[in-house]
Amino acid sequence: MAGLYLSFLFQLFFCLLLLLHPSTGNALVESLQSCPATNPSMLNVHLVPHTHDDVGWLKTVDQYYYGVIVFSDRNNIQHAGVQYILDSVIDQLQKDPARRFIYVETAFFYRWWKQQNQSTQRIVTQLVNEGRLEFINGGWCMSDEATTHYSAVIDQMTLGLRFLNDTFGECGRPRVAWHIDPFGHAREHASIFAQMGYDGFFFGRLDYQDKARRMKTKEMEMLWRASESLTPPLADLFTGVLPNGYNPPEGFCWDQSCNDAPIRDDPDLEDYNVDEIVQKFLNASYRQAGFYKANHIIMTMGSDFQYENANLWYKNMDKLIKYVNALQAKGSKVNVLYSTPSCYLQELNLANLTWPLKTDDFFPYADDAHDFWTGYFTSRPALKLYERLSNSRLQTCNQLEVLGGPKSKSGPFGEGDSDTMKRAMGVAQHHDAVSGTEKQHVAYDYARRLATGWAHCEVLVRNSLAILSGSEAPRVFCENLNISVCPLTESSHKFSMNVYNPLGRTVSWPVRLPVNGSVYSVTDANGRAVDSQVGNVFISLKCTCYIYDMKSSCLLPLLSVRCINNKSVTFDETTGLLSSLTNLETNQTIQLTQNFYWYNASAGNNKESPQTSGAYIFRPNSSDPFVINKTAETQIVTVSSTVQEVTQWFSPWVSQVVRLYEGHRELELEWTVGPVPVADGLGKEVITRLDTDIKSSDYFYTDSNGREVLERRKDYRPTWELKQTEPVAGNYYPINSRAYIKDDKHQLTVVTDRSQGASSLYNGSLEIMLHRRLLYDDYRGVGEPLSEPGDFSDGLVARGRLLLTFTPPDTAADVHRPLAQGMVLQPLLSFQDGTPSANTKLEFSGLQTDLPPAVHLLTLSQWDEDTVLIRLEHQYQAKESKTHSQPVTVNLQKLFSTLDVLGASEMSLGANQWKEDMDRLQWNAEKTSKPLPLSAKDPSPWEVTLNPMEIRTFLLRVRQL
């Protein structure tokens, strides 16, 4: 087998501001000046008309947009039609210049806008310019905060923000983040919003205990310091908790879906109710004001898919404002007005108050004593993995579009694009998508969209690789390697493997291919023999992936059931379970036992039953899980010079392969779980638990959206005195890429391949939930049990990988940071039948050299015909690495080698503002005793300095060399 290895190294020349800056003008100033007048001596009640339009949940995206009627068990699933909402709102806004409306989900608005004629588009543009229609949040969707990876969040926000910027200019730029429905809130999300230039952030869901405390102490609004590494106020974000979730006060819902009484203001009628409604509203206003510091309060006037008949809302709100404000002449101190979150935020800023400081996050979320929304951290594990792999493929697609040039979109293999995949990934970040909290047919639709997106990208990738290699030979991508299926490798006697590494550094990556032959000769691009071994139906080889390329050295060798690789891993002779792990570099050993368990999901078949586990909620009926098997049948599967492998069978539906590769610091655990049996009438939530002799003292650590790590403590919350009511579910946290436990000398880190739930319930223990199959709904809206049918309708089989590293704490990040990035951005394999032709370019480099170890190339994407968007990221936190937690400088002139960079401008993280134009509201916060990190500056215009956890975004004007 011959290999084609593509190594892409880039060169960026930083040229002084040659890009034309868009005109900022006075449009935004005029928009904010158009905020309605308030009264400083009164309680100002800001009514915010809004709709919350899920980008899929009980219906698919298309069904929600068009208002398709869907039936399930003879019941109509949720009346909703987004196109009619926007039609109706635009019509009603034109009838009174005082009226306002906010819109959030750009995925829907983008679709609606394309269908409008020029006359309607002009009307909408005028409404936006006048501040009467305001875009809030602005991402393609309202992303989940527990199960999303930061790179995908940034991408989906960029996608939506760019459309708004291109369509409406500065007046279309959202100034407020708005996450009214996600089920808990991540610190990294707040950091991202701050770096994107947002002035504030409002959300609806807060743990019931935390909310009660904050209402009592008037801390419903705060300053969130969302990074321990970035110098304030770079990641500081004013944050407010909305009083009613995202619904109107009780009794004031005037949508066609509601039953509240309209305002009947004809005094000649028997049921005249103005006085009653006004007094009820005044009572609600004063009650709400008792929980907030300023003389301004916000009321969300709307809810899920409301305003399809906007006239009902506006007619009644017009009357409410009229009659409440009329009482001012009689001494009332309440002033009601149409408003937006930006106008409300501006008033809070002008109040010049001092706000409490928040430094942790808002996980886990519970809405009652036994109702912890921690199950969705793991729900639909296969979809979570598919979304993560799709993110890797999208980054590869974006990069190859840049490297291959314009012909990559229209080349020998047809018309390809990355936009379809961007939109599919944007939808997948929705808080009822990758979260796993949608109906089953909607989950299928999300997966279908990702597959369609990759099909478009696949053509682009084929074209680009043909351009870069000089070979137009047919190329295939084996989509089913995870189940050992690749028709080309199984049928061909001679084939080449092409490997694309999307990371900006060298990685070592093992490759396993299904084959039918028994003896293979494997050579690299230079004709050198590559170590490989055929075992069972696999050929295994280990490849060293240089920047955007793979070079090989190979696998497989000496092992007993008790040890792998000179006793670095041992197994118990009696049980067949792992028993110890040794770091041969530091000569440290820990006792380590790993097994699989399941929690019995609480049962109930109606709303009056005790709370059950479901798509959202995790509620086991006991704190002690059932062990699947106390022993494992163990077999040495492969033994070679570079990889050693042991298979463990725990039951007919749980197995695991333990692998250790030569030269690697991590131990790989490839688990397979399913179909989860439920014939016994018991729903099951399956975990793997690692038990060690590490003295973790109830502390453990989880990442936030794949970036900064937060300290966790069993039965504890940093900002309030927790009354723990669920000893298991109440201690679960989301992990996106890693979790670890440690003591003074030892740290065990687990790197995951998807988002999952994790906890540490015992000293020295770390458990991760892998799979869930449940028999009852949890009554949070989805309306069906989480019981995925799988291919044969007997339950889903899920497979995944955990990578374990064991190091001293002060060097742990040096291992787990690059390991986690490598798990997120995996090499892309493609195959060609036969031997490459003589004129095929077998290696190609686009970067002059590896990026520094601390630097990650987060984004490389075509922006316009002659512009490219790049993001460079410092991937280490402050103080976590003695070697890498330092400022690092990259010379942009010496980065890329295939592009002539004619100009460069730095932008906000969301790429919708020039960095020099960012001007966020400043806030007064309570003082903290913690020392603040400092930032190093750029030594020259050509050299970019990245501080720990800093991301810098540039728009480059380029010419292909």
Side-chain angles (χ1 to χ4, degrees), residues 162 166 861-869 955:
R162 184 181 184 187
D166 289 349
S861 180
Q862 197 73 36
W863 191 254
D864 284 319
E865 183 178 351
D866 61 350
T867 55
V868 169
L869 184 73
L955 191 63

Side-chain angles (χ1 to χ4, degrees), residues 216-362:
K216 187 178 298 184
T217 59
K218 291 192 173 184
E219 294 185 1
M220 294 286 278
E221 293 166 329
M222 69 210 80
L223 186 69
W224 197 350
R225 182 150 293 160
S227 174
E228 296 178 357
S229 299
L230 300 175
T231 303
L234 185 58
D236 289 358
L237 189 66
F238 182 90
T239 300
V241 183
L242 297 169
N244 303 303
Y246 54 90
N247 300 306
E250 185 177 353
F252 297 92
C253 182
W254 290 305
D255 193 73
Q256 63 185 17
S257 63
C258 298
N259 298 315
D260 292 342
I263 296 178
R264 301 184 288 264
D265 57 347
D266 187 341
D268 294 332
L269 296 181
E270 182 179 349
D271 52 359
Y272 175 84
N273 66 353
V274 170
D275 295 340
E276 176 189 349
I277 294 290
V278 167
Q279 188 57 53
K280 187 175 182 179
F281 184 82
L282 291 174
N283 293 342
S285 299
Y286 282 123
R287 180 177 182 275
Q288 181 178 325
F291 306 138
Y292 292 82
K293 295 181 70 171
N295 65 325
H296 293 266
I297 60 173
I298 186 172
M299 289 186 178
T300 46
M301 305 303 284
S303 192
D304 290 354
F305 297 99
Q306 294 194 356
Y307 285 79
E308 196 170 308
N309 183 352
N311 179 56
L312 298 176
W313 267 110
Y314 282 112
K315 194 162 191 174
N316 283 279
M317 286 190 292
D318 288 346
K319 293 179 180 181
L320 181 69
I321 293 170
K322 174 184 174 181
Y323 292 117
V324 171
N325 289 348
L327 292 181
Q328 294 173 9
K330 299 180 180 180
S332 170
K333 295 295 184 181
V334 174
N335 182 48
V336 190
L337 58 145
Y338 282 118
S339 188
T340 68
S342 296
C343 293
Y344 172 68
L345 191 68
Q346 181 177 257
E347 294 293 341
L348 295 183
N349 187 258
L350 292 172
N352 199 30
L353 301 173
T354 298
W355 304 94
L357 192 67
K358 169 82 171 178
T359 58
D360 58 317
D361 65 0
F362 291 96

Side-chain angles (χ1 to χ4, degrees), residues 66-323:
Y66 285 108
V68 176
I69 298 176
V70 180
F71 292 91
S72 175
D73 298 329
R74 299 183 180 179
N75 293 317
N76 182 17
I77 300 176
Q78 192 181 22
H79 178 85
V82 173
Q83 61 174 335
Y84 308 123
I85 293 171
L86 291 167
D87 289 342
S88 184
V89 165
I90 298 305
D91 175 67
Q92 288 298 312
L93 288 178
Q94 297 175 68
K95 294 182 177 181
D96 187 340
R99 293 176 174 178
R100 300 208 169 220
F101 194 79
I102 64 169
Y103 200 72
V104 176
E105 292 84 9
T106 306
F108 281 134
F109 188 85
Y110 164 83
R111 180 180 296 197
W112 179 85
W113 176 262
K114 292 195 305 177
Q115 297 176 348
Q116 305 311 303
N117 58 37
Q118 290 185 354
S119 175
T120 300
Q121 290 184 352
R122 283 195 296 269
I123 291 170
V124 173
T125 301
Q126 181 179 351
L127 292 171
V128 172
N129 290 342
E130 293 173 355
R132 295 159 59 196
L133 174 61
E134 184 173 322
F135 294 102
I136 299 295
N137 209 64
W140 206 244
C141 72
M142 185 185 295
S143 61
D144 183 57
E145 297 193 45
T147 63
T148 47
H149 191 266
Y150 73 96
S151 62
V153 172
I154 292 171
D155 280 351
Q156 76 89 10
M157 290 298 298
T158 302
L159 182 64
L161 293 174
R162 184 181 184 187
F163 167 75
L164 295 177
N165 192 61
D166 289 349
T167 306
F168 300 106
E170 182 70 3
C171 285
R173 178 171 66 85
R175 299 180 66 87
V176 172
W178 184 259
H179 270 210
I180 54 178
D181 197 24
F183 332 118
H185 303 282
R187 194 174 73 177
E188 192 60 38
H189 260 73
S191 177
I192 287 171
F193 289 144
Q195 294 177 69
M196 287 183 171
Y198 287 90
D199 288 321
F201 175 41
F202 293 96
F203 64 77
R205 298 185 186 272
L206 176 68
D207 184 275
Y208 76 104
Q209 292 185 46
D210 193 8
K211 185 173 183 179
R213 181 194 68 84
R214 289 183 179 278
M215 292 170 69
K216 187 178 298 184
T217 59
K218 291 192 173 184
E219 294 185 1
M220 294 286 278
E221 293 166 329
M222 69 210 80
L223 186 69
W224 197 350
R225 182 150 293 160
S227 174
E228 296 178 357
S229 299
L230 300 175
T231 303
L234 185 58
D236 289 358
L237 189 66
F238 182 90
T239 300
V241 183
L242 297 169
N244 303 303
Y246 54 90
N247 300 306
E250 185 177 353
F252 297 92
C253 182
W254 290 305
D255 193 73
Q256 63 185 17
S257 63
C258 298
N259 298 315
D260 292 342
I263 296 178
R264 301 184 288 264
D265 57 347
D266 187 341
D268 294 332
L269 296 181
E270 182 179 349
D271 52 359
Y272 175 84
N273 66 353
V274 170
D275 295 340
E276 176 189 349
I277 294 290
V278 167
Q279 188 57 53
K280 187 175 182 179
F281 184 82
L282 291 174
N283 293 342
S285 299
Y286 282 123
R287 180 177 182 275
Q288 181 178 325
F291 306 138
Y292 292 82
K293 295 181 70 171
N295 65 325
H296 293 266
I297 60 173
I298 186 172
M299 289 186 178
T300 46
M301 305 303 284
S303 192
D304 290 354
F305 297 99
Q306 294 194 356
Y307 285 79
E308 196 170 308
N309 183 352
N311 179 56
L312 298 176
W313 267 110
Y314 282 112
K315 194 162 191 174
N316 283 279
M317 286 190 292
D318 288 346
K319 293 179 180 181
L320 181 69
I321 293 170
K322 174 184 174 181
Y323 292 117

Side-chain angles (χ1 to χ4, degrees), residues 719-749:
T719 49
W720 84 90
E721 187 173 341
L722 174 68
K723 180 181 179 182
Q724 185 61 274
T725 52
E726 284 292 325
V728 177
N731 283 301
Y732 256 68
Y733 292 85
I735 58 173
N736 302 101
S737 61
R738 80 210 75 190
Y740 59 81
I741 54 175
K742 67 177 183 176
D743 56 25
D744 292 342
K745 296 181 179 179
H746 314 92
Q747 178 169 322
L748 179 70
T749 305

Side-chain angles (χ1 to χ4, degrees), residues 466-731:
I467 294 166
L468 296 172
S469 67
S471 170
E472 296 184 4
R475 184 184 307 273
V476 300
F477 302 88
C478 292
E479 306 289 345
N480 297 312
L481 283 175
N482 65 317
I483 57 171
S484 308
V485 174
C486 180
L488 188 147
T489 63
E490 293 176 86
S491 61
S492 177
H493 296 291
K494 182 180 292 186
F495 60 90
S496 63
M497 179 180 70
N498 312 268
V499 186
Y500 181 89
N501 172 23
L503 290 170
R505 59 178 176 81
T506 302
V507 297
S508 180
W509 189 262
V511 176
R512 293 164 54 85
L513 302 176
V515 294
N516 280 327
S518 58
V519 179
Y520 281 81
S521 172
V522 183
T523 57
D524 65 13
N526 297 310
R528 294 186 295 260
V530 173
D531 187 15
S532 63
Q533 179 166 329
V534 178
N536 295 331
V537 296
F538 293 100
I539 183 172
S540 297
L541 48 145
K542 175 184 169 188
C543 303
T544 301
C545 303
Y546 294 100
I547 315 135
Y548 303 111
D549 135 321
M550 214 178 228
K551 290 196 175 178
S552 303
S553 69
C554 266
L555 294 160
L556 305 148
L558 283 178
L559 165 142
S560 73
V561 173
R562 301 185 186 86
C563 67
I564 288 184
N565 198 19
N566 196 21
K567 297 185 178 179
S568 63
V569 179
T570 63
F571 292 79
D572 185 275
E573 287 184 344
T574 303
T575 66
L577 304 179
L578 288 170
S579 58
S580 74
L581 182 62
T582 298
N583 184 327
L584 299 177
E585 295 178 356
T586 61
N587 198 29
Q588 292 177 297
T589 299
I590 55 169
Q591 298 175 12
L592 169 65
T593 301
Q594 183 238 0
N595 208 333
F596 294 85
Y597 307 80
W598 59 274
Y599 288 105
N600 182 4
S602 293
N605 56 14
N606 61 64
K607 292 183 180 180
E608 285 68 41
S609 299
Q611 179 61 57
T612 62
S613 282
Y616 299 95
I617 289 175
F618 172 35
R619 195 198 176 195
N621 66 2
S622 171
S623 298
D624 298 319
F626 294 89
V627 63
I628 290 175
N629 200 326
K630 293 181 180 179
T631 63
E633 181 182 342
T634 307
Q635 178 183 352
I636 304 171
V637 178
T638 56
V639 180
S640 78
S641 60
T642 53
V643 67
Q644 301 172 70
E645 182 176 295
V646 171
T647 297
Q648 298 170 299
W649 288 275
F650 295 85
S651 77
W653 55 280
V654 177
S655 63
Q656 179 172 263
V657 180
V658 182
R659 296 189 185 96
L660 188 64
Y661 296 97
E662 186 213 353
H664 284 229
R665 295 179 173 181
E666 74 276 6
L667 178 70
E668 178 183 299
L669 307 178
E670 185 182 58
W671 53 268
T672 302
V673 175
V676 177
V678 291
D680 54 6
L682 301 177
K684 297 176 177 62
E685 309 187 67
V686 183
I687 67 166
T688 186
R689 195 173 75 204
L690 302 159
D691 295 308
T692 76
D693 56 355
I694 292 175
K695 298 176 177 60
S696 57
S697 303
D698 289 338
Y699 288 89
F700 59 109
Y701 301 81
T702 66
D703 68 309
S704 180
N705 298 123
R707 290 203 87 216
E708 293 199 44
V709 174
L710 283 78
E711 180 182 88
R712 310 298 190 183
R713 182 177 166 190
K714 180 184 173 185
D715 297 334
Y716 175 79
R717 302 292 186 268
T719 49
W720 84 90
E721 187 173 341
L722 174 68
K723 180 181 179 182
Q724 185 61 274
T725 52
E726 284 292 325
V728 177
N731 283 301

